[in-house]
Amino acid sequence: MATTGVQGRAVEGTGGGGEPFAWSMVLPLVRAGFMGFTGYFAAAWITAMIGHTVIVNPLPATVGYVVGLLAWLAGSGIWDGWIRRAFGGAEAPALTGVERYFRFSSDPKATAVRYVIFNVLAFFFAGLAAMAIRIELLTPDSTKWWLSEVHYNQTFGIHGLMMLLAVAASAIVGGMGYYLLPMMLGARTVIFPRLLGLSWWLLPPAAVAVFMSPLIGGFQTGWWGYPPLAQNSGSGIVFYTLGAATLLTSSLLGGINIIGTIVYMRAKGMSLGRIPMFLWGLFAAGTILIVEAPATFTGTLMDLSDMILGSHFYTGPTGHPLAYDDQFWWLFHPEVYVFVLPAFALWLEILPAAAQRPVFARNWGIAGILGITMIGAMVGVHHYFTAVSDERMPIFMTLTETISIPSGFVFLCALGTLWGGRLRLTSPALLCLMAMMNFLIGGLTGIFNADVPADLQLHNTYWVIGHFHYTILGSVIFSWLAGLYWWFPKVTGRLVNEFWAKFHAWWFFIFFNMTFLPMFILGIEGMNRRIAVYLPYLHPLNEFVSISSFFLGAGFLIPAANLFFSWRSGKKAPQNPWGSKSLEWHSPSPTPYIVFPEGSEVTVVGPNDNYAAGAPEPFVWAPTTAGK
Amino acid sequence: MAVEMARPLMDPAPERAKRGAFFFPMMFMGILSAAWFLARFMWGGTSVPKGVDMGMGIGLTVLMLLSIGPMLGARGKLNRGEDAGAIGNFAILMVVAILMIAGIISTWGAIPIGTGYGGIYDVTSGWIGLYFVGGLLGLLASFMKGKRVPERFRNERWVAHNVVSFWGELVLLWTAFFVVFYLL
């Protein structure tokens, strides 16, 4: 679909800086890192000296983290790009060139690109932790030559927390969502662009703290941080707590922008029924974060308070350790839907364009997404059926199993869209289909976890590990790759190499299933999760899983190389390579700095997924003199 | 180095949107505070223990209720475009914020933090204290911007409006805090 004449004239000369990259542009990032580390060590040492203790104790580590975080933010450009002007100081010019990627920026596109880079790096390092876990499980007892039990516990804790909060939580929402949110709505930016910029700058310190937690004693609790083990398992738990709280805050700032932008900044004519499906997924994620994060946020801070201030929320005479479970899972079960609902919505964005068919039963799809959002808020207790009273079990079992119904709506929408369509099986479409297949397995096996009699047998076994890897890695990461390939031409102006994209899709699908399908059998046979040493009869299957996982992990070098080389030397992409009718493809590719500049304004006059022959254009551009 | 010298094209949300969307972070703050308040009943028992600093609690609550006057005054002046007058109200609210922070700190330790009530009181009041720090910074930013660059203050009046709204939420939250922690 070509850009209209009005819009074409309007975008001239607004592509942002075209100057070549220079290393001096990286200086704010280096400055932030230097100030962050200096601030951390200075504050931790001073606190330790005052308290006559050492810097690895919880209080100095906490003070160091807070000061280091603030120093990092100050160094990133937030001071001159935001705070100074907010207090009436000099106004720094908004940088529109390459340099905006290396410093605090209010450009949501730059923020989103930084999210992608961060997610890739976090995925790499957390993936290395996964490889370390699987090396440990190559033999029934590898503690003599590989990780000790203590180091093994630290490793899976870091792997879990990072994969969930530093990858899954922001891969689709951050990297794709923040890029596309204003463009799909016909807006030039998000509602609070500086807050969105800040959201990214909170990520690196949190990730560094969690990865570095073994240096101050690590933590033994896994990604749950359950007390009272948390209080008795090493000072590294404060980095876990602070890192998790910071990552949650970052997600929340994004959630506020998502909701605010969708509510207040839609183009003329974009009624609720015409909001793109992908944005409905983002809307659901943002809603979950705003409404449900508080309970978990307070739990995290209360846990920290027990460790550094001497309160007894979860330990000691007035402690209620099980209250933490309630608070923790209040968000962290729905958090799964923060990962998954944007993935669902992404399928319903990509598949209609790939099949050249409108979304089947579109309103039922939206109802499904919103239904999962609502019911998902009430089901967290199924994570600890073994620790609750009998009265609570049937209630939460029923609620959890009810989730299948709205999930079914989404699946039926996707299948109905494909039915009778002319599907072009491009790499993004292929990955979406694979993600659907994987999620189907993850969802069906999840019913057993929701079912109390089965769950009491399967609780904390490898069945659970298999289940949630199918729903998160198998669904979210497949969808993430699909989205990266789909919108790669939009961001870079180049096409991904389809052969290597499809080659990796199959590699990923085969070795993913070879790695995680046997885990269901392992679980049924009695392999508990979170153990470094297991009984010898489980060895053959564990060996098979480990070897498969090494192929799975090594395979990720393929998309990394493919994306890099496609970016540097891939084929030039046309403006709309997929024939999509979505609004983001109305701007040139790669996206100019100002997507919809002053001088043009879009009005939505129809659904953006009407692919029938001769269907009218869904968007009309008109000149305007006052901007939007 | 490419810079955008024209007016901020990338920040085009109208005032109505900026003010309306501020409801969402305030909603989050409200839910978060509700979580703290509910936790008081989980850990703090069913009655207020002896030893709480009731006088200070009442004093701070009265102070906050009185601050509704300058808050509403600031809102009215902003609506009428009387920015200089609104800045004067901000100065009063800043003084109130400082008194509130000092007052909150002074109540810590009345009940030991190691007890159920003391723990949840200190943590919740500390969190609300952070809101006051945020409010103070917001007021100070608007105050300084209004004094130093009045035109920018006028162009971005939504910021001052949001600061006033934030103060309104602080009044509500503190009043609820007083009821939950001092009366129930």
Side-chain angles (χ1 to χ4, degrees):
Chain A
M1 186 183 305
T3 306
T4 65
V6 168
Q7 197 215 6
R9 285 192 301 279
V11 297
E12 284 173 13
T14 54
E19 74 278 13
F21 170 78
W23 280 107
S24 60
M25 294 175 176
V26 184
L27 282 179
L29 198 60
V30 176
R31 182 180 61 188
F34 174 76
M35 288 174 65
F37 276 107
T38 309
Y40 170 78
F41 282 109
W45 260 314
I46 290 169
T47 310
M49 279 195 293
I50 292 171
H52 302 291
T53 182
V54 289
I55 64 167
V56 296
N57 274 356
L59 184 60
T62 303
V63 175
Y65 178 87
V66 172
V67 174
L69 177 65
L70 294 175
W72 155 270
L73 293 177
S76 71
I78 284 179
W79 169 255
D80 41 353
W82 184 4
I83 306 297
R84 188 177 64 193
R85 78 176 297 285
F87 283 80
E91 189 155 17
L95 301 169
T96 63
V98 186
E99 64 275 3
R100 70 186 191 271
Y101 295 101
F102 302 99
R103 61 181 301 136
F104 172 76
S105 163
S106 59
D107 175 14
K109 298 186 296 303
T111 299
V113 169
R114 262 186 268 116
Y115 262 96
V116 174
I117 305 291
F118 173 81
N119 293 142
V120 168
L121 290 174
F123 187 72
F124 176 74
F125 287 111
L128 288 182
M131 296 298 102
I133 292 167
R134 286 318 312 180
I135 291 172
E136 181 84 357
L137 299 177
L138 264 174
T139 67
D141 184 357
S142 306
T143 54
K144 301 288 186 296
W145 59 273
W146 189 241
L147 303 172
S148 68
E149 286 92 336
V150 167
H151 290 139
Y152 180 77
N153 291 350
Q154 293 174 358
T155 306
F156 68 67
I158 292 171
H159 165 75
L161 187 67
M162 285 294 96
M163 279 298 191
L164 291 172
L165 291 188
V167 181
S170 57
I172 296 178
V173 173
M176 272 158 250
Y178 300 156
Y179 197 97
L180 296 165
L181 175 64
M183 296 170 74
M184 284 184 158
L185 290 173
R188 294 181 178 83
T189 185
V190 294
I191 188 89
F192 296 125
R194 292 186 180 89
L195 274 187
L196 191 70
L198 173 63
S199 78
W200 186 84
W201 287 92
L202 294 173
L203 299 176
V208 168
V210 175
F211 277 116
M212 295 289 116
S213 60
L215 295 181
I216 62 166
F219 58 96
Q220 302 292 307
T221 60
W223 82 280
W224 297 338
Y226 278 176
L229 181 58
Q231 282 76 8
N232 301 312
S233 71
S235 300
I237 193 71
V238 299
F239 277 176
Y240 157 87
T241 308
L242 292 162
T246 310
L247 291 166
L248 275 180
T249 306
S250 168
S251 287
L252 178 75
L253 298 179
I256 288 166
N257 264 293
I258 288 168
I259 304 288
T261 308
I262 291 176
V263 170
Y264 285 103
M265 295 182 72
R266 300 195 303 277
K268 272 184 197 168
M270 188 175 283
S271 57
L272 291 180
R274 289 174 180 167
I275 293 176
M277 290 303 290
F278 183 55
L279 298 189
W280 277 111
L282 294 183
F283 185 84
T287 305
I288 290 169
L289 286 166
I290 289 176
V291 175
E292 290 164 51
T296 303
F297 202 79
T298 51
T300 307
L301 295 179
M302 289 159 82
D303 207 14
L304 183 67
S305 167
D306 278 3
M307 286 181 269
I308 65 171
L309 297 179
S311 56
H312 289 294
F313 295 118
Y314 305 118
T315 59
T318 57
H320 300 287
L322 282 177
Y324 180 87
D325 296 20
D326 279 325
Q327 290 174 281
F328 181 85
W329 289 111
W330 188 263
L331 170 71
F332 277 129
H333 181 77
E335 180 78 7
V336 175
Y337 305 120
V338 172
F339 315 155
V340 167
L341 290 178
F344 283 2
L346 185 140
W347 306 341
L348 298 179
E349 198 67 44
I350 291 178
L351 291 178
Q356 294 291 293
R357 289 253 297 158
V359 178
F360 173 74
R362 179 188 168 87
N363 288 343
W364 284 96
I366 296 169
I369 288 170
L370 298 182
I372 295 170
T373 305
M374 286 187 280
I375 301 173
M378 301 178 277
V379 302
V381 171
H382 71 244
H383 286 269
Y384 49 103
F385 275 145
T386 51
V388 302
S389 62
D390 291 348
E391 291 74 17
R392 292 173 83 183
M393 289 181 182
I395 299 169
F396 288 99
M397 179 175 77
T398 308
L399 284 169
T400 305
E401 292 181 354
T402 308
I403 292 267
S404 312
I405 297 169
S407 304
F409 291 177
V410 176
F411 263 75
L412 290 174
C413 285
L415 293 176
T417 304
L418 295 173
W419 193 269
R422 292 161 288 136
L423 182 67
R424 272 204 304 157
L425 203 59
T426 55
S427 54
L430 178 64
L431 282 158
C432 284
L433 296 180
M434 290 171 169
M436 287 174 63
M437 184 67 206
N438 291 335
F439 191 86
L440 187 65
I441 296 173
L444 291 176
T445 52
I447 292 173
F448 295 88
N449 297 328
D451 184 75
V452 171
D455 183 73
L456 294 178
Q457 300 300 315
L458 297 169
H459 181 78
N460 267 358
T461 67
Y462 261 67
W463 175 281
V464 180
I465 306 289
H467 157 70
F468 72 71
H469 277 89
Y470 265 91
T471 56
I472 298 173
L473 178 59
S475 176
V476 176
I477 302 300
F478 272 81
S479 304
W480 180 38
L481 280 174
L484 285 178
Y485 294 158
W486 184 259
W487 283 294
F488 189 80
K490 184 79 255 159
V491 180
T492 65
R494 293 180 185 274
L495 291 169
V496 166
N497 184 306
E498 268 293 287
F499 170 79
W500 286 111
K502 285 185 179 174
F503 179 83
H504 175 257
W506 283 109
W507 178 293
F508 189 9
F509 188 69
I510 291 167
F511 286 109
F512 168 80
N513 278 284
M514 287 173 66
T515 301
F516 292 102
L517 203 58
M519 287 188 184
F520 295 118
I521 303 169
L522 277 170
I524 291 171
E525 290 191 348
M527 171 100 181
N528 279 326
R529 68 192 292 197
R530 298 181 168 178
I531 52 164
V533 179
Y534 57 86
L535 291 171
Y537 78 94
L538 297 165
H539 180 218
L541 211 45
N542 265 304
E543 194 174 44
F544 179 81
V545 167
S546 286
I547 292 169
S548 301
S549 75
F550 301 147
F551 281 98
L552 174 67
F556 283 107
L557 297 175
I558 299 170
N562 190 10
L563 289 169
F564 179 78
F565 287 111
S566 297
W567 170 51
R568 300 306 299 167
S569 54
K571 272 197 288 190
K572 293 268 187 191
Q575 182 176 319
N576 186 2
W578 313 111
S580 169
K581 289 204 166 186
S582 192
L583 182 53
E584 75 273 17
W585 297 102
H586 275 235
S587 62
S589 301
T591 317
Y593 173 64
I594 298 170
V595 190
F596 307 122
E598 281 192 290
S600 66
E601 189 171 339
V602 65
T603 301
V604 184
V605 294
N608 72 345
D609 60 350
N610 187 354
Y611 290 99
E617 291 293 326
F619 307 110
V620 172
W621 293 90
T624 178
T625 52
K628 278 182 67 63
Chain B
M1 185 178 289
V3 294
E4 180 190 296
M5 299 305 291
R7 74 183 187 81
L9 290 172
M10 286 291 286
D11 194 8
E15 177 171 327
R16 173 183 163 272
K18 293 280 196 184
R19 288 175 60 180
F22 193 66
F23 168 77
F24 297 111
M26 292 212 304
M27 183 170 77
F28 175 80
M29 287 170 51
I31 299 173
L32 190 63
S33 301
W36 287 122
F37 297 161
L38 290 173
R40 175 254 181 273
F41 299 104
M42 177 84 186
W43 279 277
T46 52
S47 61
V48 180
K50 290 177 181 172
V52 295
D53 194 345
M54 184 63 80
M56 181 60 77
I58 292 171
L60 294 177
T61 307
V62 170
L63 185 63
M64 281 308 283
L65 292 174
L66 289 175
S67 75
I68 292 173
M71 180 194 80
L72 292 178
R75 182 179 298 279
K77 288 168 186 169
L78 287 171
N79 285 338
R80 293 191 296 274
E82 299 167 8
D83 294 341
I87 290 166
N89 289 41
F90 284 178
I92 297 170
L93 293 178
M94 277 194 287
V95 173
V96 176
I98 291 167
L99 291 174
M100 289 300 297
I101 293 165
I104 287 169
I105 292 172
S106 78
T107 62
W108 291 346
I111 307 289
I113 193 170
T115 63
Y117 181 92
I120 195 64
Y121 178 91
D122 286 358
V123 172
T124 306
S125 62
W127 189 255
I128 302 244
L130 283 180
Y131 287 173
F132 277 104
V133 172
L136 179 62
L137 290 174
L139 288 163
L140 182 63
S142 284
F143 181 86
M144 289 177 68
K145 188 157 65 173
K147 289 283 186 190
R148 297 164 78 179
V149 280
E151 190 179 341
R152 198 193 299 166
F153 182 95
R154 188 168 60 249
N155 291 338
E156 299 173 357
R157 199 175 279 137
W158 61 270
V159 177
H161 271 290
N162 285 350
V163 170
V164 174
S165 300
F166 185 77
W167 189 269
E169 184 171 32
L170 284 181
V171 174
L172 280 175
L173 289 181
W174 178 265
T175 308
F177 175 84
F178 176 74
V179 171
V180 168
F181 279 88
Y182 284 88
L183 301 183
L184 295 182

